[in-house]
Amino acid sequence: MKLATSERVRILKSEILSDDWYVLKKTTFDFLRQDGVWQRQSRETYDRGNGAVLLLHDRRRDTVVLVRQFRFPVFVNGHDGMLIEAPAGLLDDAAPEERIRAEVAEETGYRVRDVEKVFEAYMSPGSVTEKLYFFVADYQPADSVECGGGVEEEGEDIEVIELPLATALDMVRTGEIVDGKTIMLLQYVALRRGQAA
């Protein structure tokens, strides 16, 4: 009889290493291996809450709306820091669909009508607890009802970019778009249209 994972994990100790921006914990636990031996392990987890991301796609014109903003962790890892992404944000206790509508309006200025949830994914499961909810939505130029740009008080200084889908896919190939969640949504839309990159 196969044991549930919860029966194979015994948490022994959990300590908070940092609780500033988000919560960084170190946990020591015993894990029951497949060979029946309990092994002591220690892991750090970064808990920033769950999030949602959405790609706006105008099917008629075959364009997408992305944003460009400064990302400090990317900057300290050798990138110039100005990352091109699909609009995204943390849920902050809201339902994923509700939160992503507000986030897209805030970042891009576009009013989102019908959203389609396409999948959920853990982006860095070795150390980050965050699960992302992925959405796509159709848009038209008339749906741009505000200026976007993000919330200055939250340190956001966001540039809105509209591109042909083919150009965005080329930017993945050339390394101009390196954000994982954005690449996944661009690939999804391309596959849906029969244009896999």
Side-chain angles (χ1 to χ4, degrees):
M1 183 174 161
K2 189 171 181 177
L3 291 175
T5 305
S6 60
E7 297 178 71
R8 297 176 63 191
V9 178
R10 294 178 184 158
I11 295 175
L12 305 173
K13 180 175 148 186
S14 184
E15 59 185 308
I16 294 176
L17 302 179
S18 175
D19 188 1
D20 184 13
W21 192 249
Y22 301 110
V23 179
L24 177 63
K25 289 183 181 177
K26 180 178 180 180
T27 303
T28 303
F29 60 96
D30 287 339
F31 181 75
L32 182 60
R33 298 171 52 84
Q34 294 181 65
D35 61 8
V37 175
W38 286 94
Q39 181 181 43
R40 177 92 17 111
Q41 298 185 23
S42 179
R43 295 290 184 272
E44 291 180 6
T45 55
Y46 192 52
D47 185 354
R48 55 188 310 263
N50 294 328
V53 58
L54 182 143
L55 181 65
L56 290 168
H57 180 220
D58 182 336
R59 295 184 201 215
R60 185 179 54 81
R61 296 183 303 135
D62 206 21
T63 56
V64 294
V65 173
L66 300 172
V67 296
R68 185 186 341 251
Q69 61 184 314
F70 180 68
R71 296 295 198 182
F72 183 73
V74 175
F75 175 75
V76 297
N77 195 26
H79 191 275
D80 76 354
M82 299 304 293
L83 213 60
I84 298 173
E85 308 174 56
L90 295 177
L91 299 184
D92 296 328
D93 298 322
E97 185 176 318
E98 172 192 348
R99 186 65 211 131
I100 197 58
R101 287 176 185 277
E103 196 70 32
V104 169
E106 201 175 89
E107 291 190 8
T108 69
Y110 280 85
R111 178 182 55 237
V112 179
R113 298 175 190 278
D114 298 323
V115 301
E116 175 190 352
K117 181 181 168 195
V118 292
F119 49 83
E120 300 172 11
Y122 291 94
M123 299 303 293
S124 189
S127 59
V128 181
T129 62
E130 179 185 35
K131 175 169 63 174
L132 279 181
Y133 297 83
F134 286 75
F135 296 90
V136 293
D138 291 324
Y139 80 98
Q140 302 169 15
D143 294 329
S144 180
V145 294
E146 299 173 25
C147 61
V151 179
E152 185 178 346
E153 294 77 28
E154 295 177 7
E156 294 179 331
D157 182 19
I158 295 172
E159 175 189 356
V160 181
I161 305 167
E162 184 180 45
L163 299 166
L165 175 61
T167 301
L169 292 167
D170 283 340
M171 292 170 77
V172 172
R173 291 186 196 99
T174 62
E176 294 170 83
I177 294 177
V178 293
D179 175 63
K181 63 187 181 299
T182 304
I183 293 169
M184 292 166 72
L185 281 173
L186 288 170
Q187 294 275 348
Y188 173 84
V189 169
L191 287 167
R192 181 173 71 177
R193 293 183 48 81
Q195 306 172 345

